[in-house]
Amino acid sequence: MKLNDELKKTLIVLSAATLLGTGVVVSGGASGLSLSVAAASGQQTAVPTDQKLQKELQTLVGGLKEGTYLAYYVRDKVSNPQDTISFSGKGFVFKDYKSFAAKFKSLKGPATPQPGNLPKGFALATAIIYPPSVANDSELYLQLEQELKAAAAGDPNKQLFSKIISWSQTNLSMQLYAKGKASFSIITGVPPAKLPEGAVPFVRTSETKKEMTVNGRKVILTTDSAKDASFNTKLVWLDKSGAIQYTLSDNRVSKLTTNEMLAVAKSMIK
């Protein structure tokens, strides 16, 4: 199934609406699926303000092959005031569930259930496995920071320094099922970090939340009536261990009922 422009836009919207808390931001369509992966702590990706430097970074990132993960350092106080390391990469993209599940298994990722009870006419459009996020207090981050800044110290004429890094483990993926412009996605990832004590989570006034039980598992059902909402219905639940979160949501074009969405969720919760 070929993705149309509306579905490509859906993939972009998912970065803010559905992948919030995972550290991954989608910045391209499904064909290339360019990713900008910030550290789990929430660090910002360095985006050069200098046009020449910006073009150099765009060329570097644009030339990445599928499954490639890049760490880079921008030596520029304006665009990188915190003097941090940034990450970018391209996920693995699949058109059939079998190939997607096999790759996810080889990467030691969590279970990625294939949904049943698909609404009539809906079929898998694309499945994506994203590179992992790198926390800025992790051993890998500190090692890369040392290497890239050492390279920068040895070459005062350059501003952009990068290194390809290998990855054999991930916990973030997406399955997108579509029927024309209508679609729903299934995100498999880690639960967002807990808010500090006393903090109040942000909830849109247009949202309505309801807690229910599906196959013995607690599920949070959220609906959003606002015209600018990214979804109509969203269902969120954890696996038995509580370490993996599943998020099922449709796009605004979708006419799926809550019962149809619940039927899909029920097929996945064992």
Side-chain angles (χ1 to χ4, degrees):
M1 179 180 293
K2 187 176 180 180
L3 286 182
N4 55 34
D5 291 339
E6 185 65 31
L7 288 183
K8 290 181 180 180
K9 291 177 183 178
T10 300
L11 289 174
I12 297 172
V13 172
L14 283 170
S15 64
T18 315
L19 298 177
L20 187 62
T22 63
V24 175
V25 177
V26 181
S27 59
S31 58
L33 214 69
S34 179
L35 310 178
S36 233
V37 187
S41 61
Q43 74 172 66
Q44 297 299 308
T45 302
V47 180
T49 53
D50 178 83
Q51 289 188 354
K52 183 178 179 181
L53 182 57
Q54 191 176 72
K55 186 175 182 180
E56 184 181 352
L57 178 59
Q58 288 175 343
T59 300
L60 178 66
V61 172
L64 294 178
K65 296 180 180 180
E66 185 176 298
T68 303
Y69 201 18
L70 178 78
Y72 66 91
Y73 171 60
V74 177
R75 181 171 53 195
D76 179 51
K77 292 182 179 180
V78 177
S79 59
N80 190 15
Q82 296 181 343
D83 203 37
T84 56
I85 304 300
S86 299
F87 300 86
S88 187
K90 286 188 177 179
F92 292 103
V93 183
F94 305 89
K95 296 301 180 184
D96 66 278
Y97 179 83
K98 185 177 180 180
S99 300
F100 162 72
K103 184 64 177 180
F104 213 82
K105 186 176 181 180
S106 72
L107 289 172
K108 301 176 183 178
T112 54
Q114 183 176 25
N117 300 329
L118 293 181
K120 186 177 180 179
F122 280 80
L124 181 67
T126 188
I128 306 155
I129 297 176
Y130 298 96
S133 59
V134 180
N136 62 5
D137 59 352
S138 66
E139 183 178 341
L140 176 59
Y141 180 94
L142 297 175
Q143 177 187 332
L144 290 167
E145 181 180 45
Q146 182 178 20
E147 290 182 16
L148 292 174
K149 288 186 177 181
D155 192 344
N157 297 317
K158 284 183 61 177
Q159 288 182 282
L160 178 62
F161 302 85
S162 63
K163 180 179 180 178
I164 298 293
I165 55 177
S166 60
W167 55 290
S168 60
Q169 188 171 342
T170 185
N171 51 24
L172 182 63
S173 68
M174 179 180 71
Q175 300 175 58
L176 186 70
Y177 292 81
K179 176 186 178 182
K181 293 182 179 181
S183 67
F184 68 85
S185 65
I186 300 162
I187 305 295
T188 301
V190 296
K194 291 184 178 180
L195 293 172
E197 187 176 350
V200 179
F202 172 76
V203 179
R204 288 163 56 97
T205 56
S206 55
E207 286 185 358
T208 300
K209 290 184 179 292
K210 178 182 178 181
E211 184 176 311
M212 57 179 58
T213 301
V214 177
N215 289 348
R217 197 80 51 80
K218 184 176 79 171
V219 175
I220 303 299
L221 165 67
T222 305
T223 56
D224 197 327
S225 59
K227 291 183 179 180
D228 64 343
S230 59
F231 63 88
N232 296 312
T233 304
K234 180 170 66 175
L235 296 162
V236 179
W237 68 93
L238 301 177
D239 70 346
K240 291 181 180 179
S241 69
I244 300 299
Q245 177 175 290
Y246 298 97
T247 302
L248 167 65
S249 63
D250 60 352
N251 67 353
R252 293 298 286 179
V253 182
S254 163
K255 302 296 183 182
L256 295 175
T257 66
T258 299
N259 285 338
E260 286 176 312
M261 295 287 282
L262 280 169
V264 175
K266 188 175 182 179
S267 73
M268 299 175 65
I269 301 174
K270 306 297 184 182

